[in-house]
């Protein structure tokens, strides 16, 4: 059981160790993911409905309110 | 008037467009190059010739660079759904949840397993298992694209669902109708085959550059043969699937087709515009000519739209104001029905709030009569249903013209390479170098055609884009727009630098 896991571990370890251009690419991927999730998502892209309403009923009511409010102004 | 800030809607649109267009630089190249890598490797496994292995590893490295820079750029679109498009995101959550979840699971398993074997497994796993992994990456990447295209197709042709006024959500009723809708199928086949075409152009461009420089000549010639065969077949397939996609547009989104062709007055035996210049001052319903000049192929638009040359194709004016003779309901009439639907939705909400079950049920029954016109209830004028005609027309025609050049290019390269005369063709090789960039333009134009052409709808006929937006400060959207622009530009510079370095090293560095 442990033999296959050890082989898989060694496969990935050696693969990462022997990378050339891959090292630069992984750095870019990590920086990109950090910028996306730790900066952009956290500070600039909150989920509006999740942040401002407590449950799905409130969210549904808000969206319905938006849909009707637009009509009222439209008529 | 609507209390929707149009500059907010447009900035949200611009931000989404910027992200999607940037993401779309990488995706089609991944789709096409993955199959080319699998083909190069198949030749290596079949022949045992180490030169083919070097060729495979070279193109695989470029594939890896493109994949790494492009990976996760699509996630930003999902961030935007929650912040800028919360009404939309809430209403379609039930429809999009399944396809996007399948895509996520698919991508994860694919990337964690076969991708690792493809890059780390040379000389460590058997040749046949390595080849199998490369094919799985190609097939998996393309199948992964299926789900996002199914979601997009649903927005263009919402099927297999029902709107639930209780939850304010479109709820899925038939997953298979969503997955196998003709729009989804034509979108998937057209998009993936155009990716194959772009991958082939990429190989052609770099190979031509090597031949012009007199470097890696044998690899370049071998690569050209494979890319030209694959590119030629893909170009033919792109033409067929494009024809099918246009037919679906004609049936499901006739306004979009009319905008593609700058067709204002509907015609029987309608001609397809081969070339033309739009009159920018032309408005729906006026008497101005739609074109400053045009060159048409008679009957072909009718054939494309209805599979009959003598058939009637409605123009923008017919679709906006109606045409009783040809049984075309105009936007004016649809708006009346839509406004009733929205009023009944409002009545339902108020009755429910007042806990008046009878009134709520009555409002719901009335709503169901006109619900298919719901989105039209939010339009301020019938002309608002017309997409930007010039943008749709030029992007469509640029895409088609470029798409017609590529098969000729592939055929010329294939013929001359097989004849052993390609290195003597100093006039042809420089034409191959910009081919990839023309392919990228065609890709972007295809995206513009699909998305600008369906305006003003986020969901065809049911939800205009302005209803889909979140009422947040426009300054916030502007700030994040420029933030993305900076991040994307940096990433693109990084990709170009790494890619150029690797190309200049060539296959010896693999």
């Amino acid at each position: 059981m442990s033999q296959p896991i050890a082989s898989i571990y060694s496969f990935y370890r050696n693969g990462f160790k022997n990378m050339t251009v891959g090292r630069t690419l992984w750095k870019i991927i990590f920086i990109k993911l950090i910028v996306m999730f730790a900066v952009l998502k956290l500070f600039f892209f909150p989920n509006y409905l999740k942040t401002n309403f407590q449950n799905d009923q409130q969210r549904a009511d808000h969206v319905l309110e938006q849909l009707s409010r637009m009509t009222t102004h439209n008529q | 008037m609507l209390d929707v800030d149009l500059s907010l809607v447009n900035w949200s649109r611009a931000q989404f467009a910027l992200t999607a267009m940037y993401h779309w630089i990488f995706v089609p190249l991944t789709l096409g190059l993955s199959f080319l890598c699998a083909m190069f490797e198949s030749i290596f496994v079949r022949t045992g010739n180490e030169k083919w292995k070097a060729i495979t590893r070279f193109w695989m490295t470029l594939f890896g660079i493109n994949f790494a820079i492009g990976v996760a750029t699509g996630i930003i679109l999902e961030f935007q759904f929650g912040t800028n498009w919360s009404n939309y995101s809430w209403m379609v959550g039930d429809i999009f949840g399944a396809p996007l979840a399948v895509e996520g699971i698919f991508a994860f398993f694919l990337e964690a397993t076969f991708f690792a074997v493809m890059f780390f497994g040379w000389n460590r796993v058997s040749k046949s298992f390595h080849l199998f992994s490369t094919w799985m990456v190609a097939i998996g990447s393309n199948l992964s694209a299926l789900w996002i295209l199914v979601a997009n197709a649903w927005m263009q042709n919402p099927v297999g669902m029902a709107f639930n006024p209780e939850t304010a959500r479109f709820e899925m009723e038939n997953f298979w109708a969503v997955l196998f809708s003709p729009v989804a199928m034509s979108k998937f086949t057209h998009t993936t085959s155009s990716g194959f075409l772009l991958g082939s152009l990429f190989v052609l461009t770099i190979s031509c550059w090597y031949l012009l420089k007199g470097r890696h000549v044998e690899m370049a010639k071998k690569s050209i043969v494979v890319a030209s065969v694959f590119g030629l077949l893909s170009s033919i397939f792109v033409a067929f699937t494009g024809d099918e996609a246009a037919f679906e547009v004609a049936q499901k989104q006739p306004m979009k087709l009319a905008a593609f062709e700058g067709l204002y007055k509907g015609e029987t035996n309608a001609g397809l515009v081969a070339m033309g210049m739009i009159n920018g001052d032309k408005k729906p319903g006026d008497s101005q000519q739609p074109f400053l000049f045009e060159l048409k192929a008679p009957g072909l638009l009718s054939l494309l739209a209805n599979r009959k040359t003598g058939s009637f194709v409605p123009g923008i004016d017919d679709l906006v104001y109606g045409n009783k003779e040809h049984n075309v309901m105009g936007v004016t009439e649809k708006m009346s029905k839509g406004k009733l639907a929205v009023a009944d939705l409002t009545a339902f909400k108020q009755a429910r709030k007042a806990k008046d079950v009878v009134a709520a049920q009555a409002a719901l029954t009335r709503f169901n009569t006109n619900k298919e016109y719901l989105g039209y209830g939010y339009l301020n004028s019938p002309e608002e249903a017309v997409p930007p005609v010039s943008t749709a027309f030029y992007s469509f025609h640029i895409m088609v013209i470029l798409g017609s050049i590529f098969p000729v290019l592939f055929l010329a390269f294939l013929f001359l390479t097989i004849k052993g005369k390609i290195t003597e063709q100093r006039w042809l090789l420089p034409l191959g170098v910009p081919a990839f960039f023309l392919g990228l333009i065609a890709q972007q134009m295809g995206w513009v055609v699909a998305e600008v052409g369906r305006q003003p709808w986020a969901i065809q006929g049911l939800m205009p884009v302005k209803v889909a937006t979140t009422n947040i400060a426009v300054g916030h959207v502007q700030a994040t727009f420029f933030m993305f622009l900076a991040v994307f530009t940096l990433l693109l510079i990084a990709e170009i630098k790494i890619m150029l370095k690797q190309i200049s090293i060539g296959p010896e560095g693999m």
Side-chain angles (χ1 to χ4, degrees), chain A residues 11-12 14-15 28-29 32 36 40-41 44-46 48-49 60-61 63-65 67-71 73-74, chain B residues 1 3 68-69 71-72 79 82-83 112 124 165 167 339 342 346 349 352 377-378 380 467 470 476 484 498:
Chain A
F11 177 84
Y12 276 90
N14 291 335
I28 290 174
I29 290 172
K32 186 166 56 172
M36 279 182 190
L40 292 173
K41 177 69 183 154
F44 297 97
F45 286 93
Y48 180 81
L49 293 177
D61 287 344
V63 174
L64 265 181
E65 177 65 28
L67 297 177
S68 348
R69 199 154 57 97
M70 285 180 183
T71 321
H73 286 279
N74 217 8
Chain B
M1 287 296 290
D3 63 344
I69 305 285
V71 75
F79 294 174
T83 307
R124 305 191 67 203
T167 56
K339 286 189 189 305
V342 189
T346 309
K349 187 199 72 168
R352 200 186 57 167
Y378 298 104
N380 288 325
V467 175
T470 313
H476 179 92
F484 281 145
I498 299 169

Short mmCIF file of all heavy atoms in Angstrom, two decimals, chain A residues 11-12 14-15 28-29 32 36 40-41 44-46 48-49 60-61 63-65 67-71 73-74, chain B residues 1 3 68-69 71-72 79 82-83 112 124 165 167 339 342 346 349 352 377-378 380 467 470 476 484 498:
data_model
loop_
_atom_site.label_atom_id
_atom_site.label_comp_id
_atom_site.label_asym_id
_atom_site.label_seq_id
_atom_site.Cartn_x
_atom_site.Cartn_y
_atom_site.Cartn_z
N PHE A 11 7.70 10.52 -7.80
CA PHE A 11 7.45 10.98 -9.18
C PHE A 11 7.25 12.50 -9.21
O PHE A 11 7.88 13.21 -9.98
CB PHE A 11 6.19 10.27 -9.72
CG PHE A 11 5.77 10.71 -11.09
CD1 PHE A 11 6.36 10.14 -12.21
CD2 PHE A 11 4.80 11.68 -11.27
CE1 PHE A 11 5.98 10.55 -13.50
CE2 PHE A 11 4.41 12.08 -12.54
CZ PHE A 11 5.00 11.51 -13.65
N TYR A 12 6.40 12.98 -8.31
CA TYR A 12 6.12 14.42 -8.28
C TYR A 12 7.35 15.20 -7.78
O TYR A 12 7.69 16.23 -8.33
CB TYR A 12 4.91 14.72 -7.39
CG TYR A 12 3.59 14.55 -8.12
CD1 TYR A 12 2.93 13.32 -8.14
CD2 TYR A 12 3.01 15.61 -8.81
CE1 TYR A 12 1.73 13.15 -8.82
CE2 TYR A 12 1.80 15.45 -9.50
CZ TYR A 12 1.18 14.21 -9.49
OH TYR A 12 -0.01 14.06 -10.18
N ASN A 14 10.59 14.45 -7.88
CA ASN A 14 11.64 14.52 -8.90
C ASN A 14 11.23 15.41 -10.07
O ASN A 14 12.04 16.12 -10.63
CB ASN A 14 12.00 13.13 -9.42
CG ASN A 14 12.70 12.32 -8.35
OD1 ASN A 14 13.32 12.89 -7.45
ND2 ASN A 14 12.56 11.01 -8.40
N GLY A 15 9.94 15.32 -10.40
CA GLY A 15 9.43 16.17 -11.48
C GLY A 15 9.62 17.63 -11.17
O GLY A 15 10.17 18.40 -11.98
N ILE A 28 5.23 32.27 -11.33
CA ILE A 28 4.20 33.16 -11.89
C ILE A 28 2.81 32.70 -11.44
O ILE A 28 1.97 33.52 -11.05
CB ILE A 28 4.30 33.20 -13.44
CG1 ILE A 28 5.57 33.95 -13.84
CG2 ILE A 28 3.08 33.88 -14.06
CD1 ILE A 28 5.87 33.93 -15.32
N ILE A 29 2.59 31.38 -11.48
CA ILE A 29 1.28 30.86 -11.06
C ILE A 29 1.00 31.23 -9.60
O ILE A 29 -0.09 31.71 -9.26
CB ILE A 29 1.20 29.32 -11.27
CG1 ILE A 29 1.16 29.01 -12.78
CG2 ILE A 29 -0.03 28.74 -10.60
CD1 ILE A 29 1.28 27.54 -13.12
N LYS A 32 0.38 34.92 -9.20
CA LYS A 32 -0.93 35.23 -9.79
C LYS A 32 -2.06 34.81 -8.83
O LYS A 32 -3.00 35.58 -8.60
CB LYS A 32 -1.04 34.47 -11.11
CG LYS A 32 -2.26 34.79 -11.91
CD LYS A 32 -2.16 34.28 -13.33
CE LYS A 32 -1.89 32.80 -13.42
NZ LYS A 32 -1.98 32.29 -14.78
N MET A 36 -4.71 37.20 -7.05
CA MET A 36 -6.15 37.01 -7.31
C MET A 36 -6.95 36.77 -6.04
O MET A 36 -7.96 37.44 -5.81
CB MET A 36 -6.34 35.80 -8.23
CG MET A 36 -6.13 36.12 -9.68
SD MET A 36 -6.44 34.62 -10.59
CE MET A 36 -5.87 35.10 -12.19
N LEU A 40 -7.24 40.65 -4.79
CA LEU A 40 -8.42 41.05 -5.57
C LEU A 40 -9.72 40.52 -4.96
O LEU A 40 -10.65 41.28 -4.69
CB LEU A 40 -8.28 40.57 -7.01
CG LEU A 40 -7.19 41.26 -7.82
CD1 LEU A 40 -7.02 40.59 -9.19
CD2 LEU A 40 -7.52 42.73 -8.02
N LYS A 41 -9.77 39.23 -4.71
CA LYS A 41 -11.01 38.63 -4.19
C LYS A 41 -11.34 39.17 -2.80
O LYS A 41 -12.48 39.54 -2.52
CB LYS A 41 -10.87 37.10 -4.17
CG LYS A 41 -12.06 36.35 -3.59
CD LYS A 41 -13.28 36.44 -4.48
CE LYS A 41 -14.48 35.75 -3.84
NZ LYS A 41 -15.74 36.31 -4.30
N PHE A 44 -11.43 43.51 -3.14
CA PHE A 44 -12.14 44.24 -4.21
C PHE A 44 -13.35 43.50 -4.77
O PHE A 44 -14.15 44.10 -5.46
CB PHE A 44 -11.17 44.56 -5.35
CG PHE A 44 -10.06 45.47 -4.93
CD1 PHE A 44 -8.83 44.96 -4.58
CD2 PHE A 44 -10.27 46.84 -4.86
CE1 PHE A 44 -7.80 45.80 -4.18
CE2 PHE A 44 -9.26 47.69 -4.46
CZ PHE A 44 -8.01 47.17 -4.11
N PHE A 45 -13.46 42.20 -4.52
CA PHE A 45 -14.57 41.46 -5.10
C PHE A 45 -15.37 40.66 -4.07
O PHE A 45 -15.44 39.44 -4.14
CB PHE A 45 -14.07 40.55 -6.24
CG PHE A 45 -13.73 41.33 -7.47
CD1 PHE A 45 -12.45 41.78 -7.70
CD2 PHE A 45 -14.73 41.67 -8.37
CE1 PHE A 45 -12.15 42.55 -8.81
CE2 PHE A 45 -14.43 42.43 -9.49
CZ PHE A 45 -13.15 42.87 -9.72
N PRO A 46 -15.97 41.39 -3.11
CA PRO A 46 -16.83 40.65 -2.18
C PRO A 46 -18.07 40.16 -2.92
O PRO A 46 -18.49 40.79 -3.90
CB PRO A 46 -17.22 41.72 -1.15
CG PRO A 46 -17.11 43.01 -1.90
CD PRO A 46 -16.02 42.83 -2.92
N TYR A 48 -21.58 40.32 -3.31
CA TYR A 48 -22.51 41.35 -2.86
C TYR A 48 -23.68 40.76 -2.05
O TYR A 48 -24.00 41.24 -0.97
CB TYR A 48 -23.04 42.11 -4.08
CG TYR A 48 -24.02 43.20 -3.73
CD1 TYR A 48 -23.59 44.46 -3.29
CD2 TYR A 48 -25.39 42.99 -3.83
CE1 TYR A 48 -24.49 45.45 -2.96
CE2 TYR A 48 -26.30 43.98 -3.51
CZ TYR A 48 -25.85 45.20 -3.07
OH TYR A 48 -26.75 46.19 -2.74
N LEU A 49 -24.29 39.73 -2.58
CA LEU A 49 -25.48 39.18 -1.90
C LEU A 49 -25.11 38.44 -0.63
O LEU A 49 -25.83 38.51 0.36
CB LEU A 49 -26.25 38.25 -2.86
CG LEU A 49 -26.91 38.92 -4.06
CD1 LEU A 49 -27.57 37.89 -4.96
CD2 LEU A 49 -27.94 39.95 -3.62
N ALA A 60 -33.29 36.44 -2.23
CA ALA A 60 -34.35 36.33 -3.24
C ALA A 60 -35.25 37.56 -3.19
O ALA A 60 -35.61 38.13 -4.23
CB ALA A 60 -35.17 35.07 -2.99
N ASP A 61 -35.59 37.99 -1.97
CA ASP A 61 -36.45 39.17 -1.83
C ASP A 61 -35.76 40.40 -2.41
O ASP A 61 -36.40 41.23 -3.07
CB ASP A 61 -36.78 39.42 -0.34
CG ASP A 61 -37.77 38.38 0.17
OD1 ASP A 61 -38.39 37.70 -0.67
OD2 ASP A 61 -37.88 38.23 1.40
N VAL A 63 -33.49 40.52 -4.83
CA VAL A 63 -33.45 40.46 -6.29
C VAL A 63 -34.85 40.76 -6.85
O VAL A 63 -34.99 41.54 -7.79
CB VAL A 63 -32.92 39.09 -6.79
CG1 VAL A 63 -33.03 38.98 -8.30
CG2 VAL A 63 -31.47 38.91 -6.36
N LEU A 64 -35.89 40.20 -6.21
CA LEU A 64 -37.26 40.48 -6.66
C LEU A 64 -37.57 41.98 -6.52
O LEU A 64 -38.20 42.57 -7.40
CB LEU A 64 -38.26 39.68 -5.82
CG LEU A 64 -38.70 38.34 -6.39
CD1 LEU A 64 -39.70 37.69 -5.45
CD2 LEU A 64 -39.34 38.49 -7.78
N GLU A 65 -37.09 42.56 -5.44
CA GLU A 65 -37.29 43.99 -5.20
C GLU A 65 -36.63 44.81 -6.32
O GLU A 65 -37.21 45.75 -6.85
CB GLU A 65 -36.66 44.34 -3.84
CG GLU A 65 -36.70 45.81 -3.45
CD GLU A 65 -38.12 46.33 -3.24
OE1 GLU A 65 -38.99 45.53 -2.88
OE2 GLU A 65 -38.33 47.54 -3.49
N LEU A 67 -36.01 43.78 -9.35
CA LEU A 67 -36.75 43.57 -10.60
C LEU A 67 -38.03 44.41 -10.62
O LEU A 67 -38.39 44.98 -11.65
CB LEU A 67 -37.12 42.08 -10.77
CG LEU A 67 -35.95 41.11 -10.90
CD1 LEU A 67 -36.45 39.68 -10.99
CD2 LEU A 67 -35.10 41.43 -12.12
N SER A 68 -38.71 44.52 -9.49
CA SER A 68 -39.95 45.31 -9.48
C SER A 68 -39.66 46.80 -9.46
O SER A 68 -40.37 47.58 -10.07
CB SER A 68 -40.81 44.98 -8.28
OG SER A 68 -40.38 43.87 -7.62
N ARG A 69 -38.61 47.20 -8.76
CA ARG A 69 -38.28 48.63 -8.65
C ARG A 69 -37.97 49.19 -10.04
O ARG A 69 -38.39 50.28 -10.39
CB ARG A 69 -37.08 48.82 -7.73
CG ARG A 69 -36.92 50.22 -7.20
CD ARG A 69 -36.19 50.20 -5.87
NE ARG A 69 -34.89 49.56 -6.01
CZ ARG A 69 -33.75 50.26 -6.18
NH1 ARG A 69 -33.76 51.55 -6.25
NH2 ARG A 69 -32.60 49.62 -6.28
N MET A 70 -37.27 48.39 -10.83
CA MET A 70 -36.92 48.85 -12.18
C MET A 70 -38.19 49.06 -13.01
O MET A 70 -38.28 49.99 -13.76
CB MET A 70 -36.02 47.83 -12.85
CG MET A 70 -34.62 47.88 -12.30
SD MET A 70 -33.59 46.69 -13.09
CE MET A 70 -32.07 46.91 -12.22
N THR A 71 -39.18 48.20 -12.80
CA THR A 71 -40.43 48.33 -13.54
C THR A 71 -41.16 49.60 -13.13
O THR A 71 -41.65 50.34 -13.97
CB THR A 71 -41.39 47.18 -13.18
OG1 THR A 71 -40.64 46.06 -13.06
CG2 THR A 71 -42.49 47.06 -14.15
N HIS A 73 -40.11 52.30 -11.99
CA HIS A 73 -39.47 53.49 -12.56
C HIS A 73 -39.69 53.53 -14.07
O HIS A 73 -39.70 54.59 -14.66
CB HIS A 73 -37.98 53.47 -12.27
CG HIS A 73 -37.68 53.80 -10.85
ND1 HIS A 73 -37.66 55.09 -10.40
CD2 HIS A 73 -37.45 53.01 -9.79
CE1 HIS A 73 -37.38 55.07 -9.09
NE2 HIS A 73 -37.26 53.82 -8.72
N ASN A 74 -39.83 52.35 -14.65
CA ASN A 74 -39.90 52.25 -16.10
C ASN A 74 -41.26 52.68 -16.63
O ASN A 74 -41.38 53.06 -17.77
CB ASN A 74 -39.64 50.77 -16.46
CG ASN A 74 -38.83 50.64 -17.72
OD1 ASN A 74 -38.35 51.65 -18.24
ND2 ASN A 74 -38.70 49.45 -18.22
N MET B 1 -37.95 56.84 -15.68
CA MET B 1 -36.63 56.32 -16.10
C MET B 1 -36.10 55.27 -15.12
O MET B 1 -36.40 55.29 -13.95
CB MET B 1 -35.60 57.46 -16.16
CG MET B 1 -35.77 58.42 -17.33
SD MET B 1 -35.54 57.59 -18.92
CE MET B 1 -33.79 57.26 -18.90
N ASP B 3 -33.60 53.50 -12.64
CA ASP B 3 -32.61 54.06 -11.73
C ASP B 3 -31.30 53.28 -11.85
O ASP B 3 -30.58 53.07 -10.89
CB ASP B 3 -33.14 54.06 -10.29
CG ASP B 3 -33.40 52.66 -9.77
OD1 ASP B 3 -33.46 51.74 -10.60
OD2 ASP B 3 -33.53 52.51 -8.55
N ALA B 68 0.34 27.79 -18.29
CA ALA B 68 0.65 28.33 -16.96
C ALA B 68 0.26 29.81 -16.85
O ALA B 68 -0.25 30.25 -15.83
CB ALA B 68 2.14 28.16 -16.67
N ILE B 69 0.52 30.57 -17.90
CA ILE B 69 0.18 32.00 -17.83
C ILE B 69 -1.33 32.19 -17.88
O ILE B 69 -1.90 33.07 -17.24
CB ILE B 69 0.84 32.79 -18.99
CG1 ILE B 69 2.35 32.56 -19.02
CG2 ILE B 69 0.51 34.28 -18.91
CD1 ILE B 69 3.15 33.26 -17.98
N VAL B 71 -3.68 29.95 -16.94
CA VAL B 71 -4.48 29.22 -15.96
C VAL B 71 -5.05 30.18 -14.91
O VAL B 71 -4.38 31.12 -14.48
CB VAL B 71 -3.65 28.07 -15.31
CG1 VAL B 71 -2.64 28.60 -14.31
CG2 VAL B 71 -4.55 27.04 -14.66
N ALA B 72 -6.28 29.95 -14.57
CA ALA B 72 -6.99 30.70 -13.52
C ALA B 72 -7.39 32.12 -13.91
O ALA B 72 -8.02 32.81 -13.12
CB ALA B 72 -6.19 30.73 -12.22
N PHE B 79 -15.33 36.03 -10.03
CA PHE B 79 -15.31 37.09 -9.00
C PHE B 79 -16.30 38.18 -9.41
O PHE B 79 -17.05 38.71 -8.60
CB PHE B 79 -13.94 37.75 -8.89
CG PHE B 79 -12.83 36.88 -8.38
CD1 PHE B 79 -11.51 37.35 -8.36
CD2 PHE B 79 -13.06 35.59 -7.92
CE1 PHE B 79 -10.48 36.57 -7.90
CE2 PHE B 79 -12.02 34.80 -7.46
CZ PHE B 79 -10.73 35.30 -7.46
N GLY B 82 -20.12 37.72 -8.77
CA GLY B 82 -20.60 37.96 -7.41
C GLY B 82 -20.66 39.43 -7.04
O GLY B 82 -21.51 39.85 -6.26
N THR B 83 -19.73 40.22 -7.60
CA THR B 83 -19.66 41.64 -7.21
C THR B 83 -20.44 42.54 -8.17
O THR B 83 -21.30 43.31 -7.75
CB THR B 83 -18.19 42.09 -7.14
OG1 THR B 83 -17.48 41.19 -6.30
CG2 THR B 83 -18.06 43.51 -6.60
N ALA B 112 -4.10 17.43 -12.15
CA ALA B 112 -3.32 16.78 -11.10
C ALA B 112 -2.71 15.45 -11.57
O ALA B 112 -1.69 15.02 -11.07
CB ALA B 112 -4.18 16.54 -9.87
N ARG B 124 10.10 8.12 -17.48
CA ARG B 124 9.77 7.60 -16.16
C ARG B 124 8.54 6.71 -16.20
O ARG B 124 8.31 5.92 -15.29
CB ARG B 124 9.58 8.74 -15.17
CG ARG B 124 10.80 9.66 -15.12
CD ARG B 124 10.74 10.60 -13.99
NE ARG B 124 10.84 9.88 -12.73
CZ ARG B 124 10.39 10.36 -11.58
NH1 ARG B 124 9.81 11.53 -11.55
NH2 ARG B 124 10.52 9.67 -10.48
N PRO B 165 -40.69 32.48 -9.49
CA PRO B 165 -40.81 33.81 -8.89
C PRO B 165 -40.63 33.80 -7.37
O PRO B 165 -40.30 34.82 -6.78
CB PRO B 165 -42.24 34.23 -9.25
CG PRO B 165 -42.70 33.29 -10.29
CD PRO B 165 -41.94 32.03 -10.09
N THR B 167 -38.29 32.22 -5.70
CA THR B 167 -36.86 32.33 -5.37
C THR B 167 -36.14 33.33 -6.26
O THR B 167 -34.96 33.59 -6.07
CB THR B 167 -36.18 30.95 -5.56
OG1 THR B 167 -36.44 30.52 -6.91
CG2 THR B 167 -36.72 29.92 -4.60
N LYS B 339 -43.93 44.08 -20.07
CA LYS B 339 -44.29 45.00 -18.98
C LYS B 339 -45.42 44.39 -18.13
O LYS B 339 -45.43 44.55 -16.91
CB LYS B 339 -44.68 46.36 -19.54
CG LYS B 339 -43.43 47.12 -20.02
CD LYS B 339 -43.68 48.53 -20.39
CE LYS B 339 -42.45 49.15 -21.07
NZ LYS B 339 -41.21 49.03 -20.29
N VAL B 342 -43.71 41.83 -15.89
CA VAL B 342 -43.00 42.42 -14.75
C VAL B 342 -44.00 42.97 -13.73
O VAL B 342 -43.79 42.84 -12.52
CB VAL B 342 -42.01 43.51 -15.22
CG1 VAL B 342 -41.14 43.97 -14.06
CG2 VAL B 342 -41.12 42.99 -16.32
N THR B 346 -44.36 41.87 -9.85
CA THR B 346 -44.40 42.82 -8.73
C THR B 346 -45.65 42.55 -7.86
O THR B 346 -45.56 42.53 -6.63
CB THR B 346 -44.44 44.27 -9.27
OG1 THR B 346 -43.38 44.42 -10.21
CG2 THR B 346 -44.30 45.29 -8.15
N LYS B 349 -45.11 39.55 -5.76
CA LYS B 349 -44.23 39.84 -4.62
C LYS B 349 -45.00 40.55 -3.50
O LYS B 349 -44.89 40.20 -2.33
CB LYS B 349 -43.07 40.71 -5.11
CG LYS B 349 -41.99 40.95 -4.08
CD LYS B 349 -41.15 42.14 -4.43
CE LYS B 349 -41.94 43.40 -4.21
NZ LYS B 349 -41.20 44.63 -4.24
N ARG B 352 -47.54 38.19 -1.85
CA ARG B 352 -46.85 37.23 -1.00
C ARG B 352 -46.45 37.89 0.33
O ARG B 352 -46.55 37.31 1.39
CB ARG B 352 -45.63 36.69 -1.73
CG ARG B 352 -45.12 35.38 -1.17
CD ARG B 352 -43.85 34.96 -1.82
NE ARG B 352 -42.82 36.00 -1.70
CZ ARG B 352 -41.54 35.80 -1.95
NH1 ARG B 352 -41.15 34.63 -2.38
NH2 ARG B 352 -40.67 36.76 -1.83
N GLY B 377 -39.83 43.74 -20.79
CA GLY B 377 -40.50 44.67 -19.90
C GLY B 377 -39.55 45.71 -19.32
O GLY B 377 -39.99 46.73 -18.80
N TYR B 378 -38.25 45.45 -19.40
CA TYR B 378 -37.27 46.38 -18.84
C TYR B 378 -36.69 47.33 -19.88
O TYR B 378 -35.85 48.16 -19.56
CB TYR B 378 -36.14 45.60 -18.16
CG TYR B 378 -36.63 44.76 -17.01
CD1 TYR B 378 -36.77 43.38 -17.14
CD2 TYR B 378 -37.00 45.35 -15.81
CE1 TYR B 378 -37.25 42.61 -16.11
CE2 TYR B 378 -37.49 44.59 -14.77
CZ TYR B 378 -37.61 43.22 -14.92
OH TYR B 378 -38.10 42.47 -13.89
N ASN B 380 -36.58 50.45 -22.42
CA ASN B 380 -37.21 51.78 -22.43
C ASN B 380 -37.77 52.13 -23.79
O ASN B 380 -38.65 52.98 -23.91
CB ASN B 380 -36.21 52.84 -22.01
CG ASN B 380 -35.91 52.76 -20.53
OD1 ASN B 380 -36.80 52.45 -19.74
ND2 ASN B 380 -34.68 52.99 -20.15
N VAL B 467 -30.28 44.98 -16.12
CA VAL B 467 -30.98 44.39 -14.97
C VAL B 467 -30.06 43.43 -14.23
O VAL B 467 -30.23 43.17 -13.04
CB VAL B 467 -32.27 43.66 -15.44
CG1 VAL B 467 -32.96 42.94 -14.30
CG2 VAL B 467 -33.24 44.65 -16.08
N THR B 470 -25.13 44.82 -10.42
CA THR B 470 -25.30 45.18 -9.01
C THR B 470 -25.22 46.70 -8.92
O THR B 470 -24.39 47.31 -9.60
CB THR B 470 -24.14 44.61 -8.16
OG1 THR B 470 -23.95 43.25 -8.53
CG2 THR B 470 -24.42 44.71 -6.68
N HIS B 476 -15.75 52.09 -8.14
CA HIS B 476 -15.19 50.80 -7.73
C HIS B 476 -14.89 49.94 -8.96
O HIS B 476 -13.83 49.33 -9.07
CB HIS B 476 -16.20 50.10 -6.81
CG HIS B 476 -15.74 48.76 -6.35
ND1 HIS B 476 -15.04 48.59 -5.17
CD2 HIS B 476 -15.86 47.53 -6.91
CE1 HIS B 476 -14.75 47.30 -5.03
NE2 HIS B 476 -15.24 46.64 -6.07
N PHE B 484 -7.05 45.32 -13.27
CA PHE B 484 -6.97 44.13 -14.13
C PHE B 484 -6.11 44.41 -15.35
O PHE B 484 -5.32 43.58 -15.77
CB PHE B 484 -8.37 43.70 -14.61
CG PHE B 484 -9.13 42.94 -13.57
CD1 PHE B 484 -10.49 43.09 -13.45
CD2 PHE B 484 -8.48 42.07 -12.71
CE1 PHE B 484 -11.21 42.39 -12.50
CE2 PHE B 484 -9.19 41.38 -11.74
CZ PHE B 484 -10.55 41.54 -11.64
N ILE B 498 8.92 34.89 -21.88
CA ILE B 498 9.30 33.47 -21.64
C ILE B 498 9.18 32.68 -22.94
O ILE B 498 10.04 31.87 -23.29
CB ILE B 498 8.43 32.84 -20.54
CG1 ILE B 498 8.63 33.59 -19.23
CG2 ILE B 498 8.78 31.38 -20.34
CD1 ILE B 498 7.63 33.23 -18.15
#
